């Protein structure tokens, strides 16, 4: 039946198939083998599967691009955490399908100390090929390699992703692990998991991952893990954790000074978390903050601990801390012994879109 139709209708029917179905059809006869080579079919496959476009030209074939680059590297598409940089910058790598290429870039913190600024993209690199399958890796207009990146799977699901040209490393050499998109917020639970930008005093901004307990009944055992770090507390280290089930029940006088907050910490009064409940929050004048606080109320406060260490990670320990939930996209952590407060803003959407 299909063979008796005009070529235009045959292509129209085949355009609804995925890549596996097209390969099966191609194996049925010589006519279908030739017909399934049509680049318009593979352009549509790429559009549906990777939500991007491919422009057909005399030098570019979507079919060859899919076979040479997209298919072997599709498992790498997504967000990755770097493990080869212990502190400052380049903590996340984004590998995505773009028009006629795969793009690899680093997602860095803003150069300012302002958590409201957008994430910074750096080290943008593209991987593509011509219609003969000749690979080209570029930074801007400069061709830096003409061979496919090397992939080595390591222990614990980690990936070694690098480009080697003439037996020398060129442009990129990463050890990373996949970062899954956080789950959405559960109704009546204070906050959702996610990726946040946080202030760390003289160290500037850092990226942390907020992880909640498996059983979402209380905030206890929630913790922040550093994706980027600093010379004191490096990446992959816990920066804070919540130790209580119920939130604190503060009074205005508890925030007259850091000493008063410490008294509340060591002699706590508790209240059950309530959706929609709020507390007035006015940090004491002797507490250091990188920028003025834009919130006058919070939704809850929990006792916790925050990790500190000397330079080089020497003598790490946890000190008293308080987790302050302001908004679904904002929270703060009071480092009581340091007399400072770090603020955090959710950047999950910036990273995963």
């Amino acid at each position: 039946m299909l063979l008796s139709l005009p070529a235009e209708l045959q292509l129209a029917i085949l355009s609804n198939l995925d890549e596996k179905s097209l390969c099966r059809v191609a194996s049925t006869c010589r006519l279908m083998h030739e017909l399934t080579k049509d680049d318009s079919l593979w352009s549509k496959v790429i559009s549906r599967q990777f939500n991007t476009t491919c422009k057909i030209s005399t030098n570019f074939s979507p079919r060859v691009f899919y076979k040479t680059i997209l298919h072997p590297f599709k498992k790498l598409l997504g967000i990755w955490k770097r493990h080869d940089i212990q502190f400052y910058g380049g903590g996340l790598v984004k590998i995505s399908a773009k028009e006629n290429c795969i793009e690899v870039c680093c997602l860095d913190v803003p150069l300012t100390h302002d958590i409201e600024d957008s994430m910074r993209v750096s080290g943008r690199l593209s991987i593509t090929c011509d219609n003969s399958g000749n690979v080209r890796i570029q930074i801007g207009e400069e061709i830096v390699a003409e061979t496919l990146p090397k992939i080595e799977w390591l222990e614990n699901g980690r990936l070694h992703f690098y480009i080697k040209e003439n037996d020398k490393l060129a442009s990129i050499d990463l050890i990373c692990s996949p970062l899954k998109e956080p789950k959405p917020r559960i109704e009546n639970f204070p906050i959702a998991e996610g990726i946040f930008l946080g202030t760390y005093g003289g160290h500037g901004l850092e990226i942390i991952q907020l992880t909640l307990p498996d059983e979402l009944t209380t905030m206890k055992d929630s913790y922040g893990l550093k994706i980027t770090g600093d010379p004191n507390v490096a990446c992959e280290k816990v920066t804070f954790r919540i130790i209580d089930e119920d939130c604190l029940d503060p009074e205005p006088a508890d925030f007259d000074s850091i000493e008063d907050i410490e008294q509340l910490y060591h002699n706590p009064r508790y209240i059950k978390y309530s959706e929609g409940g709020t507390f007035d929050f006015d940090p004491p004048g002797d507490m250091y903050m990188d920028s003025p606080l834009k919130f006058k109320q919070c939704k809850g406060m929990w006792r916790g601990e925050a990790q500190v260490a000397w330079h080089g990670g020497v003598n790490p320990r946890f000190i008293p801390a308080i987790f302050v939930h302001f908004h679904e996209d904002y929270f703060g952590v009071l480092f009581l012994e340091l007399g400072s407060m770090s603020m955090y803003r959710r950047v999950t959407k910036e990273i995963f879109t």
Side-chain angles (χ1 to χ4, degrees):
M1 180 68 177
L2 181 61
L3 297 178
S4 64
L5 296 174
E8 293 82 1
L9 290 179
Q10 291 174 338
L11 283 174
I13 293 170
L14 294 177
S15 67
N16 296 300
L17 301 182
D18 60 21
E19 76 282 5
K20 292 182 180 178
S21 300
L22 282 176
C23 291
R24 293 191 188 102
V25 170
S27 66
T28 59
C29 68
R30 184 175 299 175
L31 176 61
M32 288 295 104
H33 181 76
E34 292 301 316
L35 199 61
T36 54
K37 289 182 179 179
D38 191 288
D39 275 322
S40 66
L41 300 178
W42 292 94
S43 181
K44 290 178 181 177
V45 166
I46 292 170
S47 177
R48 287 194 298 265
Q49 189 172 345
F50 301 101
N51 194 31
T52 189
T53 58
C54 277
K55 291 185 178 180
I56 303 169
S57 69
T58 55
N59 296 320
F60 182 83
S61 163
R63 180 182 65 85
V64 175
F65 175 59
Y66 186 93
K67 178 182 178 181
T68 306
I69 295 177
L70 275 181
H71 181 68
F73 288 96
K74 64 182 179 181
K75 289 185 178 180
L76 304 188
L77 301 182
I79 307 298
W80 297 78
K81 293 188 294 185
R82 294 188 68 171
H83 301 287
D84 52 322
I85 297 179
Q86 288 298 300
F87 41 81
Y88 298 146
L92 293 174
V93 175
K94 186 174 186 177
I95 305 177
S96 54
K98 298 289 187 179
E99 184 180 299
N100 293 16
C101 72
I102 281 181
E103 183 181 87
V104 182
C105 65
C106 291
L107 300 176
D108 291 334
V109 300
L111 294 176
T112 66
H113 283 219
D114 191 346
I115 59 172
E116 299 299 334
D117 288 344
S118 299
M119 295 286 290
R120 185 167 51 93
V121 178
S122 65
R124 200 186 298 267
L125 175 148
S126 64
I127 307 168
T128 188
C129 66
D130 62 20
N131 54 11
S132 297
N134 298 312
V135 175
R136 186 172 69 254
I137 300 177
Q138 296 180 214
I139 298 178
E141 298 298 321
E142 180 187 1
I143 298 176
V144 297
E146 295 180 327
T147 56
L148 285 173
K150 308 295 182 182
I151 298 173
E152 294 177 2
W153 291 100
L154 309 176
E155 294 180 355
N156 302 321
R158 294 186 179 186
L159 169 74
H160 187 196
F161 180 81
Y162 61 98
I163 298 169
K164 204 169 188 180
E165 186 78 353
N166 299 325
D167 294 326
K168 295 181 179 180
L169 291 175
S171 308
I172 195 165
D173 185 15
L174 307 170
I175 296 177
C176 46
S177 61
L179 180 67
K180 295 182 179 180
E181 187 165 2
K183 299 175 183 178
R185 178 174 177 263
I186 302 299
E187 188 176 359
N188 296 324
F189 200 79
I191 196 169
E193 293 183 332
I195 312 302
F196 290 78
L197 269 181
T199 57
Y200 282 86
H203 296 301
L205 300 180
E206 297 184 26
I207 306 171
I208 69 107
Q209 181 177 9
L210 176 65
T211 300
L212 304 179
D214 293 334
E215 295 183 7
L216 296 179
T217 54
T218 73
M219 287 287 286
K220 184 180 179 181
D221 298 328
S222 300
Y223 64 93
L225 190 74
K226 285 197 173 187
I227 292 177
T228 56
D230 55 62
N232 297 70
V233 181
C235 72
E236 300 184 75
K237 301 293 185 182
V238 172
T239 178
F240 62 81
R241 59 195 182 197
I242 295 175
I243 62 173
D244 280 341
E245 294 185 359
D246 294 328
C247 52
L248 291 168
D249 184 18
E251 297 177 353
D254 293 323
F255 288 88
D256 287 343
S257 68
I258 294 174
E259 184 179 351
D260 291 318
I261 300 176
E262 289 176 331
Q263 288 294 323
L264 174 65
Y265 183 93
H266 293 294
N267 301 283
R269 299 182 303 276
Y270 293 112
I271 189 172
K272 292 289 184 182
Y273 172 77
S274 175
E275 179 83 7
T278 59
F279 301 91
D280 290 335
F281 184 83
D282 185 16
D286 58 348
M287 176 163 285
Y288 172 80
M289 297 185 64
D290 285 311
S291 58
L293 182 66
K294 68 178 185 178
F295 297 97
K296 298 298 183 183
Q297 291 185 318
C298 69
K299 297 177 179 294
M301 289 178 276
W302 288 262
R303 289 198 318 153
E305 298 173 330
Q307 186 167 190
V308 297
W310 295 108
H311 188 88
V314 176
N315 191 30
R317 60 193 177 92
F318 282 88
I319 64 173
I322 295 179
F323 180 97
V324 187
H325 176 217
F326 293 106
H327 179 273
E328 60 180 321
D329 293 330
Y330 292 87
F331 65 84
V333 174
L334 308 180
F335 290 67
L336 295 182
E337 189 175 303
L338 302 183
S340 66
M341 178 175 178
S342 291
M343 281 295 299
Y344 301 81
R345 176 180 71 87
R346 187 186 303 275
V347 292
T348 306
K349 290 182 179 178
E350 292 180 37
I351 291 169
F352 285 93
T353 56

